[in-house]
Every structure is written in C-alpha cells, then in structure tokens.
Amino acid sequence: MADVDSERWLVIDGRRWRRTDPSLPDDLVAALKSHLGRGRSAVGAAKRRGDDEAVAAARERVGLAKHGLGERGPYWWDEPEGDRLARARDALQRLDALEGD
C-alpha cells in the first residue's frame, strides 16, 4: 500500500499533496504546469497591487490548471484514463483561451 500511496501523494512536512496524474502525456503536463506557474505568479502580482479581481481571476487559472493535472477534483486513480486525458485537454484548451482575453 505504501507504493500506491507514494504514487498518489507527495508528503511535505506531514501534509499530503496530490501528485500529478502519471498517465498524462509529458507535453500536456508541461503546458498545464506552464499555465500553473504563470497563474501562481499572477496571484502574487495581483496581491501586491491589491487588485482583488485580478487575484480571483489568477486563482481561477491556478485551479483550472490543477484540475487538468489531476491535482484537484476527482481522484485521478478512480477515473478511467480516457476521462482523465479528456479533462486535462479541456483544461488546457480553456487556459489557452483565457490567454487571449
């Protein structure tokens, strides 16, 4: 069971963080993580400016990226692989569309 847990969870200072779905293609993970990093950066910048609306928008982007990666939402290990891939691709498409806004 420890092997399964270590595949699903990363433990840092006693806190469990859900790992990225290992079945996702590397290029898809890289694109989602790029959005995730930019979203996190935007959260910090918006907080420093005191722009609550921008903070909310940036957090939405972070959440969307994390859902796509399988780190939020339904547990990826409980879903069929095809559904997980579709969710990740949908999240990336939605994130890419937000970039145009």
Side-chain angles (χ1 to χ4, degrees), residues 2 12 14 17 21 23 26 28 30-32 34-35 39 41 43 51 59-60 67 69 74 77 81 84-85 88 99-100:
I12 300 173
W17 300 91
D21 181 349
S23 73
D26 291 341
L28 184 55
L32 287 167
S34 176
H35 277 288
S41 178
V43 168
D51 186 342
R59 283 185 173 156
E60 181 179 341
H67 274 87
L69 291 164
W77 53 87
E81 194 170 314
R84 294 159 29 196
L85 182 57
E99 289 239 309

Side-chain angles (χ1 to χ4, degrees), residues 18 53 62 67 76 80:
R18 196 180 325 169
E53 189 174 311
V62 168
H67 274 87
W76 51 260

Side-chain angles (χ1 to χ4, degrees), residues 49-100:
R49 289 193 313 271
D51 186 342
D52 293 340
E53 189 174 311
V55 169
R59 283 185 173 156
E60 181 179 341
R61 293 177 73 122
V62 168
L64 188 53
K66 290 184 83 54
H67 274 87
L69 291 164
E71 296 176 10
R72 287 193 185 149
Y75 293 134
W76 51 260
W77 53 87
D78 289 339
E79 293 187 307
E81 194 170 314
D83 291 351
R84 294 159 29 196
L85 182 57
R87 182 182 59 240
R89 286 185 174 148
D90 177 65
L92 181 58
Q93 184 177 28
R94 291 172 61 195
L95 286 160
D96 286 344
L98 287 174
E99 289 239 309

